[in-house]
Amino acid sequence: MKKLLALLSVLGLALAQSLVVEVRGSLEEVEAKTLQALKGVGLEPDRVLNLGEQVRQVTGPGFPDYRLIVLKPDRGSVEAVSKNPMAAIVLPPTVFVTGEGQRYLVGTFDGRLLFGMLQVYGGEVERLVWRLEAALGRLGVVKRLPPAMMPDPSSGLMPALLYRVPSAKVEDVVLMVETELTSAGLNLLPNVKVGPVTVIMPCKSEWARTMFLTQPAGGFAAPCRFFAMQMGPDVLVGAIEPMLMTIMPGVMGSPAVAMLQEARQVMTGILEAVGGVPYRPGQ
């Protein structure tokens, strides 16, 4: 995190947590334009999730249209997780479309910030970031949403919750994680192989409602990412650190904080339930 603070102090607001662009039209028109823009820069959509409808069915009306476009892993994604498995917290990339009426916000994460923090920026990773930025640029004027605050560097907060499962096989750990997630009431997409890492993408409608009504741009991290990778005789297993979202504008002091704390407790419990012990890089 100290590296991140140093990076921000040098580059200022040139880096942001997410990139967004406003697009006019119906939801179907904006979604179609977004898919065309992604394909136009060589990014292949894998699936489109109707998160808005899913959340409304579970939690009731009052949640906006919300679509998540999950991209297929490309060479940039594979290179990123090969250099640092924690990059799996936002890979494969997700592009969100949210809004109502004839005005929609399309966005994704700012790879310059995250990949720079994880020390994987460059090469195919940099080209992935360029493609994401170029795709949004085809839709309109791209705005960078800077963090509202940065965490205390002495807090030890990392982008991912990391655990190590001793003497295990990654296939077994993935199955156990998926079983625990289902038991905890989370919906699951089929897991995705991104190079050496298996990415698991669960979603809980109640968490999504609270988070995205507070900060719609948080969709760059949805669905929530868990991941697992063989590490010698052991398995590295982890998940995105939910409290990372508190640095986004409007989140601190909102009901989303309690939700993120609950999510962290549930996610940590799942990682421990599969036999994981806390792990820090370099151990």
Side-chain angles (χ1 to χ4, degrees), residues 242-270:
M243 302 312 294
L244 196 63
M245 307 304 287
T246 60
I247 71 175
M248 297 196 75
V251 176
M252 283 301 290
S254 77
V257 175
M259 180 279 296
L260 292 168
Q261 291 170 333
E262 176 196 343
R264 191 181 198 279
Q265 184 176 12
V266 171
M267 293 161 69
T268 299
I270 289 169

Side-chain angles (χ1 to χ4, degrees), residues 42-221:
L43 294 171
E44 285 296 320
D46 183 48
R47 65 195 83 181
V48 179
L49 308 177
N50 191 345
L51 181 66
E53 183 59 29
Q54 175 187 314
V55 171
R56 286 191 293 270
Q57 286 182 1
V58 175
T59 65
F63 190 77
D65 290 325
Y66 210 110
R67 299 283 169 89
L68 294 172
I69 302 170
V70 182
L71 301 180
K72 292 182 180 179
D74 70 347
R75 289 182 294 181
S77 294
V78 172
E79 184 176 296
V81 298
S82 298
K83 290 179 177 178
N84 189 339
M86 282 195 287
I89 62 173
V90 291
L91 295 173
T94 301
V95 176
F96 62 87
V97 179
T98 184
E100 56 187 358
Q102 294 286 309
R103 297 179 63 180
Y104 287 86
L105 200 66
V106 180
T108 190
F109 67 95
D110 184 352
R112 297 173 187 262
L113 174 65
L114 180 74
F115 292 146
M117 175 179 67
L118 296 174
Q119 297 182 305
V120 301
Y121 194 70
E124 291 295 338
V125 178
E126 187 173 10
R127 281 185 275 276
L128 168 60
V129 173
W130 291 347
R131 289 188 184 104
L132 286 168
E133 293 176 350
L136 294 188
R138 291 183 173 211
L139 298 172
V141 178
V142 179
K143 297 179 181 179
R144 297 182 181 273
L145 186 67
M149 58 171 286
M150 294 305 301
D152 180 356
S154 65
S155 68
L157 181 70
M158 294 195 302
L161 305 170
L162 286 183
Y163 285 72
R164 178 177 55 85
V165 183
S167 303
K169 297 295 183 185
V170 67
E171 297 84 1
D172 298 332
V173 173
V174 168
L175 181 58
M176 289 191 291
V177 169
E178 291 180 334
T179 300
E180 292 291 335
L181 287 167
T182 302
S183 298
L186 280 79
N187 299 320
L188 283 178
L189 297 181
N191 63 62
V192 178
K193 288 286 291 183
V194 184
V197 177
T198 300
V199 178
I200 304 163
M201 291 181 280
C203 177
K204 191 173 181 68
S205 296
E206 293 85 352
W207 294 351
R209 183 182 185 93
T210 303
M211 181 66 216
F212 300 141
L213 284 178
T214 303
Q215 178 48 264
F220 71 79

